[in-house]
Amino acid sequence: MLTFEEKEAIIQEFKELTRKEVSLKRVNYHYEESLYEKTTVVYHLHPNGNGFVYVGDLAQYEEANDKGMLNIREATADELRQTIKDSIAYLATEEEEVALEEVEEEWKNKENSKLTLLQEDEMWNIYHGYNLEESFGSYSEAKAYLLEEGFRKVASK
């Protein structure tokens, strides 16, 4: 485990971070250029070596708590550097609104019955005429259902 001093030396390699002392000899490091209200990158680094790095909801940090904080008590030097880099990048990147391209597909079975698969917001809905038949959370679930029921996608014109 890295000592407090070793962790501080690594954190201070990041010139874009500002050191702020807090209670009980703990220190925080802030990224003042953050695009969000959240500026804390390193939170409550304590002389005993405990502390946290803000990683938000980055997928590679599954062990982060519900506030997006990752405990760095047992972090190696390389892990600490990478986590801080990821945190700064996270705070420096604007969230993109993903524009969902609407999908509408026609499916038919052997009896020539027709169903329509339509993406609406984040759901995949299957309609028989104007009646909602089923609703799914992903395209793959909806497709699997249609195939199980003997339907095949009609080629686009």
Side-chain angles (χ1 to χ4, degrees), residues 2-11 45 49 72-73 80:
L2 298 171
T3 65
F4 173 79
E5 292 76 17
E6 291 169 327
K7 287 179 181 171
E8 266 216 312
I10 292 167
I11 296 165
L45 181 62
I72 57 169
R73 182 177 189 83
L80 181 57

Side-chain angles (χ1 to χ4, degrees), residues 90-105:
Y90 184 79
L91 293 172
T93 305
E94 284 190 49
E95 269 189 69
E96 294 180 25
E97 287 217 11
V98 179
L100 297 174
E101 185 178 316
E102 189 174 288
V103 174
E104 183 174 345
E105 296 176 352

Side-chain angles (χ1 to χ4, degrees), residues 8-9 16 24 26 36 45 48 54-55 59-60 64-66 78 99 114 122 132-133 136-137 147 149 152-154:
E8 266 216 312
E16 59 267 60
L24 304 172
R26 296 174 299 185
Y36 307 94
L45 181 62
N48 70 8
Y54 178 71
V55 294
Q60 66 266 38
N65 67 22
D66 58 351
D78 289 339
K114 185 177 98 174
E122 295 179 18
L132 179 63
E133 175 108 2
F136 298 92
L147 292 172
E149 296 296 318
R152 298 293 176 253
K153 185 174 161 183
V154 177

Side-chain angles (χ1 to χ4, degrees), residues 106-115 128 150-151 154:
E106 187 174 300
W107 291 67
K108 288 187 178 180
N109 65 7
K110 289 180 183 176
E111 290 80 37
N112 221 17
S113 294
K114 185 177 98 174
L115 294 178
H128 182 262
F151 285 83
V154 177

Side-chain angles (χ1 to χ4, degrees), residues 15-125:
K15 302 299 180 204
E16 59 267 60
L17 297 180
T18 305
R19 185 180 196 272
K20 295 187 180 181
E21 292 187 25
V22 291
S23 61
L24 304 172
K25 299 182 184 177
R26 296 174 299 185
V27 293
N28 290 347
Y29 284 85
H30 293 263
Y31 177 58
E32 302 297 342
E33 302 296 316
S34 175
L35 297 177
Y36 307 94
E37 284 185 39
K38 180 75 169 170
T39 63
T40 306
V41 171
V42 179
Y43 179 73
H44 284 181
L45 181 62
H46 191 275
N48 70 8
N50 202 18
F52 300 88
V53 172
Y54 178 71
V55 294
D57 58 3
L58 292 172
Q60 66 266 38
Y61 297 105
E62 294 175 3
E63 57 278 355
N65 67 22
D66 58 351
K67 293 182 181 178
M69 303 300 262
L70 180 72
N71 190 297
I72 57 169
R73 182 177 189 83
E74 301 295 326
T76 66
D78 289 339
E79 290 170 340
L80 181 57
R81 279 186 191 92
Q82 187 60 54
T83 305
I84 292 170
K85 284 179 191 174
D86 291 343
S87 178
I88 292 169
Y90 184 79
L91 293 172
T93 305
E94 284 190 49
E95 269 189 69
E96 294 180 25
E97 287 217 11
V98 179
L100 297 174
E101 185 178 316
E102 189 174 288
V103 174
E104 183 174 345
E105 296 176 352
E106 187 174 300
W107 291 67
K108 288 187 178 180
N109 65 7
K110 289 180 183 176
E111 290 80 37
N112 221 17
S113 294
K114 185 177 98 174
L115 294 178
T116 303
L117 174 59
L118 182 62
Q119 181 186 13
E120 298 175 303
D121 295 320
E122 295 179 18
M123 297 301 294
W124 294 87
N125 298 320

